[in-house]
């Protein structure tokens, strides 16, 4: 479906949209828990899978279906395999964690292992520790930027079933090589999955590098307005997605709903335009590939903020993969159109300086989410990662004075002025 459109915004607006039977311009919010049949035999055909159609909104809903098709189309946009457009199926969930739960439960069993990077969203890491470990599914956590170490793990441990990646990673912005790890996993017969929440399919398409599954917290950049929680599991093995993945999703009950899907669809329609603004607040050329003219605000704002923070005497380190000194700059440059609007930075004063900075913010928003139009900041040591033992946090690069930042699309002068006054003294 995605390959009939020449531009990303055209795709984001039109993909997945079917003409409404009542001629509504936009797909309505189908606030119905169940669906009726013209005759008993039609119900039989639908339950048996012989006839497409809706049965129960936990299993599918027209509003949710449009959002699913739009996400799948964006993740496969412009990608061909053996001369044919790549196909994918997306399953919409109630949250990013619900999508991750479906992925793990659909692909892993007792005795299996996950190979993953040591900088992950805290909820994912907690799921592995608190839920998978008691089920005797072990997570091997290493620095997957070290490709020789990654290959050593894959070669020596046949129990590894899934390589789970998050790039850029939360909240350190570390980047792993999707191409190298994807090929390596295929060589050893392992499945791969990538959380693409920070980058979005506009900036990075993991399927381009042979990754099997893509995860999104649609709550963030895809929705873009902070109005609804959601998640998506996307896969290119259509048979698996239609069977095992769908069955797991339905049985776990982590389905989305029509209202949140409606808000998500409207948000995705403006993804390119919003990312233009985020990137404008984020990036100059700085050695990266030339951007499309419209890809400006989020990213250009992001680079300007990163450069400002990088020169500030109160800050010891800026984690932004658009800065040439970032250790993963080259990897990011190869697999992302632009480094985006996410970063983190370390205050020299440690924990107390982090809390003080957060408390002094006047315009920018103190919260743990990301990807909305306004600039959002969080202090992981006292917020999202407060439950992670300090020694583990430090090992993962999550220091006491680390601030995570999602650069918004406000005027750059106002963002920098707020930071300037918050960093004074």
């Amino acid at each position: 479906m995605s390959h009939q459109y020449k531009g990303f915004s055209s795709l984001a607006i039109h993909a997945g949209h079917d003409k409404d039977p009542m001629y509504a311009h936009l797909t309505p919010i189908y606030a119905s828990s169940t669906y009726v049949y013209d005759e008993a035999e039609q119900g039989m055909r639908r339950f048996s899978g012989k006839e497409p159609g809706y049965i129960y909104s936990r299993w599918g809903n027209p509003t949710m279906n449009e959002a699913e098709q739009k996400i799948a189309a964006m993740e496969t946009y412009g990608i061909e395999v053996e001369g044919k457009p790549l196909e994918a199926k997306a399953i919409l969930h109630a949250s990013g964690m619900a999508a991750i739960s479906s992925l793990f439960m659909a692909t892993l069993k007792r005795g299996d292992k996950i190979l993953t990077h040591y900088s992950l969203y805290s909820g994912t890491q907690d799921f592995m520790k608190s839920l998978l470990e008691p089920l005797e599914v072990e997570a091997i956590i290493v620095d997957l930027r070290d490709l020789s170490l990654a290959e050593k793990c894959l070669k020596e441990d046949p129990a590894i079933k899934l390589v789970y990646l998050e790039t850029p990673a939360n909240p350190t912005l570390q980047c792993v090589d999707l191409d190298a790890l994807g090929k390596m996993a295929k060589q050893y017969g392992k499945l791969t999955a990538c959380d693409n929440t920070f980058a979005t399919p506009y900036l990075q398409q993991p399927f381009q590098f042979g990754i099997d599954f893509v995860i999104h917290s649609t709550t963030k950049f895809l929705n873009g307005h902070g109005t609804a929680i959601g998640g998506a599991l996307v896969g290119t093995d259509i048979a698996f997605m239609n069977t095992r993945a769908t069955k797991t999703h339905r049985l776990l009950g982590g389905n989305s709903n029509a209202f949140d899907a409606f808000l998500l669809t409207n948000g995705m329609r403006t993804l390119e335009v919003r990312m233009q603004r985020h990137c404008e607040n984020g990036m100059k050329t700085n050695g990266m590939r030339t951007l499309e003219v419209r890809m400006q605000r989020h990213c250009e704002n992001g680079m300007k903020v990163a450069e400002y923070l990088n020169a500030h005497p109160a800050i010891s380190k800026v984690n932004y993969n658009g800065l040439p000194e970032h250790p993963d700059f080259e990897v990011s440059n190869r697999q992302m159109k632009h480094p985006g609007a996410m970063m983190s930075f370390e205050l020299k004063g440690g924990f107390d300086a982090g809390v003080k900075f957060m408390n002094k913010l006047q315009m920018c928003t103190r919260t743990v989410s990301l990807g909305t139009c306004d600039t959002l900041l969080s202090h992981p040591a006292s917020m999202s990662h407060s439950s992670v033992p300090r020694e583990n946090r430090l090992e993962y690069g999550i220091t006491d004075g680390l601030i995570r930042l999602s650069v918004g699309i406000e005027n750059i002068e106002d963002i920098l002025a707020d930071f300037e006054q918050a960093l004074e003294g």
Side-chain angles (χ1 to χ4, degrees):
M1 177 179 292
S2 64
H3 301 272
Q4 63 181 297
Y5 302 108
K6 295 182 179 180
F8 192 90
S9 282
S10 300
L11 171 88
I13 291 169
H14 297 289
H17 181 71
D18 294 322
K19 182 178 179 181
D20 182 72
M22 299 305 294
Y23 297 92
H25 173 207
L26 301 180
T27 301
I29 300 170
Y30 280 81
S32 180
S33 60
T34 192
Y35 301 86
V36 300
Y37 318 109
D38 292 331
E39 56 186 9
E41 288 79 7
Q42 185 182 48
M44 296 177 194
R45 293 192 298 271
R46 289 190 182 178
F47 271 91
S48 68
K50 294 179 180 179
E51 177 184 307
Y54 298 100
I55 297 172
Y56 187 57
S57 277
R58 178 163 60 85
W59 291 17
N61 171 289
T63 318
M64 291 153 55
N65 185 249
E66 177 170 347
E68 291 171 333
Q69 291 189 42
K70 208 174 289 293
I71 293 169
M74 289 192 292
E75 281 292 357
T76 57
Y77 176 61
I79 302 176
E80 293 190 350
V81 177
E82 297 179 351
K84 296 181 179 180
L86 180 66
E87 294 185 6
K89 177 181 174 66
I91 302 175
L92 201 61
H93 288 70
S95 66
M97 283 308 305
I100 291 169
S101 300
S102 287
L103 170 71
F104 288 160
M105 300 306 289
T107 58
L108 301 168
K109 64 181 185 305
R110 179 180 177 182
D112 286 341
K113 296 181 181 180
I114 304 173
L115 179 63
T116 190
H117 189 56
Y118 62 40
S119 179
L120 287 178
Y121 169 57
S122 59
T124 307
Q125 185 174 333
D126 196 11
F127 188 100
M128 292 175 180
K129 178 69 176 177
S130 300
L131 297 182
L132 293 185
E133 195 173 285
L135 297 176
E136 299 184 28
V137 175
E138 179 185 351
I140 301 171
I141 303 175
V142 298
D143 188 348
L144 290 180
R145 293 174 299 177
D146 184 340
L147 295 176
S148 61
L149 177 58
E151 183 161 25
K152 183 176 184 292
C153 293
L154 291 169
K155 186 176 182 179
E156 295 181 358
D157 197 338
I160 294 173
K161 177 71 177 294
L162 175 68
V163 181
Y164 185 86
L165 310 170
E166 185 180 295
T167 184
N170 184 4
T172 62
L173 278 294
Q174 293 172 357
C175 296
V176 297
D177 191 328
L178 290 174
D179 188 31
L181 290 168
K183 289 175 180 174
M184 193 182 297
K186 286 286 189 296
Q187 178 186 345
Y188 290 97
K190 314 300 182 184
L191 295 171
T192 50
C194 179
D195 185 330
N196 203 30
T197 299
F198 271 27
T200 80
Y202 186 79
L203 297 180
Q204 175 177 269
Q205 293 173 299
F207 290 143
Q208 183 180 353
F209 305 102
I211 302 301
D212 297 304
F213 301 100
V214 170
I215 294 287
H216 281 284
S217 170
T218 63
T219 313
K220 312 304 193 302
F221 285 108
L222 292 186
N223 173 287
H225 299 86
T227 55
I229 302 292
L233 170 61
V234 196
T236 55
D237 184 340
I238 305 299
F240 178 86
M241 294 299 294
N242 283 333
T243 54
R244 178 69 179 172
T246 293
K247 185 76 167 179
T248 302
H249 164 249
R250 291 176 177 179
L251 291 177
L252 288 176
N255 57 282
S256 182
N257 63 82
F259 182 62
D260 285 355
F262 177 83
L263 295 173
L264 169 61
T265 296
N266 283 341
M268 288 191 289
R269 287 169 175 268
T270 62
L271 178 62
E272 181 183 22
V273 178
R274 283 187 288 106
M275 291 304 291
Q276 294 159 15
R277 181 78 181 210
H278 281 294
C279 296
E280 178 187 317
N281 282 2
M283 173 148 202
K284 300 176 183 177
T285 57
N286 208 20
M288 301 294 289
R289 285 185 288 269
T290 302
L291 297 176
E292 296 181 29
V293 175
R294 299 184 63 187
M295 171 78 175
Q296 298 172 358
R297 195 58 171 249
H298 261 306
C299 298
E300 283 196 12
N301 271 4
M303 180 52 103
K304 290 173 183 175
V305 169
E307 290 178 332
Y308 164 82
L309 295 172
N310 207 32
H312 200 286
I315 293 166
S316 61
K317 182 180 181 182
V318 177
N319 300 311
Y320 183 63
N321 45 307
L323 295 173
E325 58 265 40
H326 191 286
D328 306 323
F329 175 79
E330 293 300 329
V331 170
S332 171
N333 192 24
R334 287 199 305 271
Q335 65 194 27
M336 297 179 68
K337 290 181 182 178
H338 190 284
M342 295 300 303
M343 68 188 71
S344 60
F345 57 93
E346 296 180 14
L347 294 165
K348 291 180 179 178
F351 189 92
D352 291 341
V355 172
K356 181 180 178 182
F357 170 81
M358 293 291 290
N359 286 338
K360 291 185 69 176
L361 292 170
Q362 295 177 358
M363 180 191 77
C364 299
T365 306
R366 291 177 289 270
T367 188
V368 293
S369 193
L370 58 104
T372 58
C373 293
D374 51 334
T375 296
L376 312 180
L377 298 101
S378 66
H379 181 218
S382 66
M383 297 178 179
S384 60
H385 289 71
S386 59
S387 62
V388 178
R390 186 172 184 271
E391 61 270 20
N392 293 129
R393 276 199 294 103
L394 295 179
E395 179 186 359
Y396 303 154
I398 306 170
T399 60
D400 291 342
L402 187 76
I403 302 295
R404 192 189 73 177
L405 165 62
S406 173
V407 181
I409 63 173
E410 303 100 332
N411 295 101
I412 188 64
E413 298 85 355
D414 293 312
I415 298 174
L416 296 182
D418 197 14
F419 284 6
E420 185 67 26
Q421 64 82 26
L423 289 167
E424 286 179 356

